[in-house]
Amino acid sequence: MKVPLSWLNEYVKVDDIDPRELAEKLTRAGLQVESIDTVGGSPLSELIVVAEVLEAEPHPNSDHLKVCKVTDGTAEYQVVCGAPNMRKGIKTAFAKIGALIPEGEFKIKKGKLRGVESFGMCCSEKELHIGEGAAGIIEYPADTPAGALVRDIAQLEKPETVFDIEVTWNRPDALSVVGIAREYAAILHRELKLPPVDFTEVETPVEDEVKVVVEDTVKCPRYTARVITAMTPDAPSPALMAKRLELCDVRSLGLAVDVTNYVMLELGQPLHAFDHTKLKDRTIVVRDARDGETMKTLDGVVRTLDPTMLVICDAEKPNAVAGVMGGEDSGIAPGTTTVLLESALFECTSTKYTATKLGLASEAAYRYIRGVDKDLADFASRRAAHLLQKYGGAQVAKGVIDADFRAQPLNADVTLDFERARKLIGIPVGNDAMVFILASLGLVPRAQGPYAAQRTVAFGIPSWRYDLSLEADLVEEIARLYGLDNIPDTMPSAPSVSPLSDAPFQARCRVRDICLALGFSEAMHYSFLSKKELDEFDTRKAAERLVIPDPVSAEYAVMRDSLLPQMMGSLGRNAAHQLESALLFEIGKVFTLAQRGGAQPVPAEAERLALGFVGPVGREALRRRAAVTEEETVLWLKGAVEELVLRLHAGRVEFVAEDHPAFAKGASLAVKLNGRAIGVLGAISAKLRHPYRLTTQMGLCELELRPLLKHVGEVGRVSAPPQFPLVRRDIALVAAKDVTNAAIEKVIRANGGAALTKVAIFDIFKSKDLKDGRRSLAYALEFRSSERTLTDEEVGETFRRIVDALKATAGIEVRES
């Protein structure tokens, strides 16, 4: 909400406080000032003042310059000036260092003219854009006070400071200038002045001019109507009113409409002005709309209504959607001289439902939805009549139609326990101080003071404070007005020892740390997504998915049963934005329907870890441009999983070839931990990469998290560094395409004996010369004994045994040894 400070100053004095300090005080009291804007006004700053010339001597190095001494009444300044009318005794405009001169838009700085220092500038009218005089500097009358602002002397428009205030949903009372003024009156301990509402009435009774019937007293607890029997046709709005509306982003549309908008912004009570002559039989009926009834609103759109909506009608048809927007047929038009002023109280939820269903947003609806002051309708109506009479010569019919069905009291009293309030706030605020703070906000103590000896006091809640219904609400008001900065920071003194173990939390932190150390960045996705995303990835377990009964949209219709579709989407979008490579991981839950012994499957959840990357993440700089193969992608991802399992002390990990619909053929592996399948990894198929226009490979892996965490906290067994040298042997072989690395390693280890400590593949070679999909593999074998140095003969015998075993294995041909 925008609040011009000059308007605010009419109701509480704030013009003696710097706007930034004002904003800080309001923000600390709970209503945040989002921005401070300066609008319009003269460009002349406070550094351009009237100064008296004390001396004017010829410049030693110039025949037309003068070295002068001027004073602004508080200090003296040396100035070099070349104006022909510069002389001792005159008063002129003087710009101090730092002032911005409009002509040429330059800032005054300390300078030297022909070797003499100058600390400012004496100005002409043209230079300051306040006149056409350019022949010399300005000469003011002798009685002009030195130090006066030039913009004030020239009667230039002052700039307007406007606050843009964020009003939270529970503070509708602050959606007005008077509401903000009431806050400042309480914060600054100053008097609040309300706007005048006096006017004279003609002898014609209002009952002769209009009849009001309220059929739905729940949706409309109060309806007031005043009639302007005559006013100046097409009277213009005063300049100040039009300017204030403009500062609040409201267009000026003529006096009658401007007054209703002005009062709404000023007091927070929406009003509506009807052309009285257009109301059939001079009747107002507040009722529910008929099914299928239509009305053209002020925005020119024909709206179809239904019985859930409250409308304002004449004797025949609807003329306004209650609390939301008026109708075009009964609105104020050029030449209107008779006006019916509506000021009413409409129920919040009904207004919200109607505005949402019709797709209508208005300032009136915004206030009604949050809650308008329950006792403001007549006061606001009188304020509007006052302004119409003052600026439009309005003749107001005698009296007011006030159909009042409000329950009494408007707000229930709330009792405050002083001691409990002190404990909640944490500082010793006195009883009298609490009562003073609440009274400054308009609350009425039901008991007489002094309050020091009283334990509790009940307070009457003002009609504009919907949000005060509990004792805790009063305590909050006391704390924010007393000053949250005055509440000291204290650490709890009572030790708290939780019986719960934080081991699961620490285990997950360990997984995150390892993933970050491996170069992955953490990603987080929603737990629901579309059926299409899941179907594109894998449909094999579609029947076990958990479908949301009434999703907000089809994009969020299914609870995810895998982390991989969203991981693929995030990586694909990164790559589509020309990111060469990206590594992501996510720890999250998946959801399925599981059979738990009953007839119907029940929802179940499990926690999983997803890893993914795109691009040449495992290569050094000189090889990053070469195409990445599916095999390379799978090996990189396999290495990351092995490192993760190793650091988590999770046990023995195995990889078994397994087809998956989302991965390229022959480029996916099932992951087993200690003999149990816990996940899958592989290179994404070209079909799934195509929407992201990926020319490189993408690798994904998903693992059950629980098995990985079983041994996180265990300390590994410590072994002494080897004392005896190792012996290395390399072996190269050609293997058929169906012979896996795991099968080859199994043969090698089975025949290597206790001395074989390590088997590592270090080269894979494919060539057209190797037909039928065969490939050449090279392994490094390391032999070492913990008791003695191995001889060449011992290693050679073991090595030959390994070679013989490999040769005897189907699909393997040993090339060299």
Side-chain angles (χ1 to χ4, degrees):
M1 176 184 170
K2 293 190 175 181
V3 177
L5 290 194
S6 63
W7 197 357
L8 180 69
N9 195 63
E10 290 187 5
Y11 312 124
V12 61
K13 184 174 176 56
V14 294
D15 59 355
D16 58 337
I17 302 175
D18 183 87
R20 287 169 296 185
E21 184 181 348
L22 271 179
E24 180 71 14
K25 288 180 180 294
L26 191 62
T27 299
R28 290 186 179 277
L31 294 171
Q32 182 176 346
V33 179
E34 292 190 318
S35 65
I36 305 173
D37 299 321
T38 301
V39 182
S42 165
L44 300 187
S45 74
E46 296 179 353
L47 296 175
I48 303 177
V49 299
V50 175
E52 181 180 356
V53 180
L54 303 177
E55 297 178 6
E57 302 295 334
H59 194 292
N61 301 318
S62 174
D63 57 357
H64 70 280
L65 296 177
K66 293 181 180 178
V67 179
C68 311
K69 183 177 291 185
V70 302
T71 179
D72 63 355
T74 57
E76 295 182 359
Y77 305 88
Q78 178 175 288
V79 182
V80 177
C81 180
N85 61 332
M86 169 58 78
R87 64 188 182 278
K88 179 181 178 180
I90 68 169
K91 290 184 177 178
T92 187
F94 172 61
K96 301 178 184 180
I97 292 174
L100 182 67
I101 303 300
E103 181 72 16
E105 294 187 352
F106 66 91
K107 186 176 287 188
I108 298 296
K109 299 178 181 178
K110 174 184 173 182
K112 280 188 178 183
L113 279 78
R114 300 285 181 92
V116 178
E117 289 185 323
S118 181
F119 298 88
M121 174 180 171
C122 295
C123 308
S124 67
E125 288 182 342
K126 186 175 181 181
E127 288 168 332
L128 298 182
H129 286 188
I130 58 175
E132 294 301 321
I137 58 176
I138 300 173
E139 292 190 38
Y140 290 113
D143 60 351
T144 305
L149 298 181
V150 169
R151 70 184 182 201
D152 293 342
I153 301 296
Q155 297 184 338
L156 299 175
E157 180 186 2
K158 293 182 179 180
E160 180 69 69
T161 301
V162 180
F163 282 179
D164 190 355
I165 302 171
E166 180 186 1
V167 180
T168 53
W169 66 269
N170 64 321
R171 291 298 307 276
D173 63 293
L175 289 171
S176 66
V177 179
V178 168
I180 299 299
R182 188 180 286 115
E183 282 292 301
Y184 272 120
I187 295 168
L188 303 173
H189 308 308
R190 294 184 177 181
E191 179 187 1
L192 174 70
K193 294 178 286 186
L194 294 178
V197 295
D198 57 299
F199 57 91
T200 58
E201 298 176 328
V202 298
E203 290 301 319
T204 305
V206 71
E207 291 81 5
D208 294 348
E209 297 294 330
V210 66
K211 176 184 177 182
V212 174
V213 178
V214 180
E215 295 183 1
D216 193 329
T217 59
V218 175
K219 294 178 183 176
C220 179
R222 189 183 190 189
Y223 191 95
T224 71
R226 271 193 170 81
V227 176
I228 309 299
T229 59
M231 62 180 290
T232 305
D234 302 325
S237 298
L240 181 61
M241 181 182 293
K243 178 186 175 184
R244 285 177 173 174
L245 290 174
E246 180 185 354
L247 292 172
C248 295
D249 296 335
V250 177
R251 286 189 303 127
S252 177
L253 299 171
L255 181 61
V257 176
D258 285 357
V259 163
T260 60
N261 288 330
Y262 188 85
V263 173
M264 177 182 67
L265 295 173
E266 182 181 54
L267 299 176
Q269 169 69 52
L271 296 95
H272 187 66
F274 295 97
D275 187 327
H276 188 226
T277 61
K278 296 179 181 178
L279 297 176
K280 182 70 174 178
D281 296 340
R282 298 186 177 186
T283 299
I284 289 290
V285 180
V286 185
R287 62 170 173 82
D288 293 332
R290 315 288 187 229
D291 196 16
E293 203 167 24
T294 61
M295 186 192 76
K296 182 183 285 189
T297 48
L298 286 171
D299 57 0
V301 178
V302 177
R303 310 281 178 177
T304 302
L305 310 174
D306 64 52
T308 63
M309 302 173 183
L310 190 70
V311 291
I312 312 299
C313 309
D314 58 17
E316 291 184 347
K317 63 183 186 304
N319 287 281
V321 180
V324 182
M325 187 175 288
E328 188 176 80
D329 295 339
S330 62
I332 302 298
T336 297
T337 58
T338 59
V339 177
L340 184 142
L341 277 176
E342 169 194 282
S343 183
L345 178 63
F346 297 116
E347 197 263 334
C348 305
T349 56
S350 170
T351 308
K352 168 64 175 172
Y353 179 84
T354 301
T356 301
K357 193 164 186 178
L358 293 178
L360 273 173
S362 66
E363 288 289 336
Y366 183 81
R367 285 163 173 78
Y368 275 124
I369 289 168
R370 282 152 183 79
V372 171
D373 184 344
K374 299 176 184 178
D375 201 32
L376 189 59
D378 183 56
F379 185 88
S381 177
R382 286 188 284 138
R383 174 61 173 162
H386 166 89
L387 293 171
L388 288 171
Q389 190 169 88
K390 181 176 180 180
Y391 298 114
Q395 296 181 26
V396 186
K398 188 174 183 179
V400 60
I401 301 292
D402 191 350
D404 191 352
F405 307 96
R406 295 171 296 166
Q408 298 293 335
L410 298 179
N411 289 322
D413 288 359
V414 179
T415 300
L416 177 69
D417 185 311
F418 293 118
E419 191 57 39
R420 186 157 53 235
R422 273 188 285 272
K423 289 181 180 178
L424 287 171
I425 298 172
I427 53 176
V429 184
N431 295 8
D432 290 307
M434 294 189 201
V435 174
F436 175 81
I437 289 172
L438 295 176
S440 69
L441 291 168
L443 280 70
V444 180
R446 299 304 189 192
Q448 298 296 320
Y451 301 100
Q454 300 187 36
R455 185 175 173 227
T456 62
V457 167
F459 288 87
I461 307 301
S463 57
W464 58 84
R465 289 306 296 269
Y466 276 75
D467 57 314
L468 303 183
S469 60
L470 304 171
E471 182 185 50
D473 298 328
L474 303 192
V475 175
E476 183 181 1
E477 293 299 295
I478 294 168
R480 73 180 185 87
L481 267 298
Y482 185 80
L484 296 177
D485 286 346
N486 294 324
I487 301 176
D489 296 329
T490 56
M491 294 298 292
S493 58
S496 176
V497 180
S498 172
L500 301 176
S501 170
D502 66 346
F505 173 79
Q506 295 294 341
R508 285 163 180 78
C509 288
R510 177 62 180 155
V511 174
R512 284 190 175 88
D513 290 343
I514 294 171
C515 290
L516 292 171
L518 290 173
F520 293 87
S521 298
E522 186 167 11
M524 287 181 282
H525 301 99
Y526 290 125
S527 293
F528 30 77
L529 67 169
S530 68
K531 177 178 179 293
K532 179 175 178 290
E533 288 178 89
L534 290 171
D535 285 346
E536 287 177 348
F537 205 84
D538 188 1
T539 59
R540 292 177 298 179
K541 295 186 178 181
E544 298 176 13
R545 292 178 188 160
L546 186 59
V547 180
I548 300 173
D550 296 303
V552 293
S553 75
E555 299 300 316
Y556 307 106
V558 185
M559 301 297 286
R560 63 182 179 184
D561 60 0
S562 171
L563 304 181
L564 295 185
Q566 292 165 307
M567 179 65 75
M568 179 183 69
S570 293
L571 289 169
R573 285 187 291 273
N574 275 273
H577 284 77
Q578 297 181 321
L579 201 66
E580 184 188 32
S581 61
L583 299 96
L584 297 177
F585 79 94
E586 180 180 13
I587 297 174
K589 291 183 178 180
V590 296
F591 306 86
T592 57
L593 288 172
Q595 204 73 33
R596 293 286 179 83
Q600 294 292 331
V602 296
E605 64 181 34
E607 204 166 12
R608 294 187 185 171
L609 167 68
L611 302 172
F613 63 80
V614 64
V617 296
R619 287 183 176 169
E620 69 277 9
L622 295 179
R623 294 198 308 123
R624 292 185 74 84
R625 293 198 177 185
V628 180
T629 65
E630 292 174 354
E631 189 173 52
E632 195 175 6
T633 300
V634 172
L635 289 175
W636 285 341
L637 200 53
K638 176 175 172 287
V641 173
E642 288 174 334
E643 188 68 19
L644 180 70
V645 170
L646 177 65
R647 296 195 189 187
L648 292 173
H649 310 296
R652 179 173 52 87
V653 63
E654 301 172 77
F655 301 91
V656 181
E658 180 181 82
D659 286 337
H660 189 286
F663 296 129
K665 188 70 173 177
S668 60
L669 299 173
V671 182
K672 290 187 174 183
L673 185 65
N674 300 320
R676 176 178 172 270
I678 65 164
V680 65
L681 66 83
I684 289 296
S685 67
K687 178 183 176 181
L688 292 181
R689 285 189 280 117
H690 178 71
Y692 304 104
R693 299 182 180 180
L694 283 183
T695 58
T696 187
Q697 297 292 329
M698 180 191 297
L700 294 180
C701 172
E702 185 173 30
L703 305 172
E704 293 179 27
L705 189 61
R706 199 169 183 180
L708 293 171
L709 304 182
K710 282 187 177 180
H711 306 288
V712 172
E714 294 182 4
V715 178
R717 188 170 55 185
V718 178
S719 58
Q723 299 181 20
F724 302 97
L726 66 83
V727 179
R728 174 171 171 156
R729 292 286 188 271
D730 295 343
I731 185 171
L733 51 88
V734 176
K737 64 179 182 180
D738 58 343
V739 178
T740 64
N741 173 67
I744 295 172
E745 280 199 24
K746 185 176 181 180
V747 173
I748 294 174
R749 291 191 181 277
N751 294 275
L756 179 63
T757 58
K758 184 176 180 182
V759 179
I761 185 171
F762 67 86
D763 186 49
I764 302 174
F765 175 74
K766 291 181 179 180
S767 171
K768 293 181 180 179
D769 297 333
L770 299 173
K771 299 178 181 179
D772 301 327
R774 297 189 303 163
R775 62 208 188 282
S776 174
L777 308 173
Y779 291 84
L781 313 183
E782 293 184 3
F783 300 88
R784 191 198 301 264
S785 172
S786 60
E787 300 174 351
R788 58 189 176 81
T789 300
L790 295 175
T791 64
D792 288 341
E793 290 76 12
E794 290 175 314
V795 174
E797 182 179 347
T798 304
F799 187 72
R800 282 190 296 273
R801 189 166 60 248
I802 293 172
V803 171
D804 292 340
L806 289 171
K807 288 179 178 180
T809 303
I812 296 178
E813 175 188 343
V814 178
R815 297 187 62 183
E816 58 183 77
S817 57

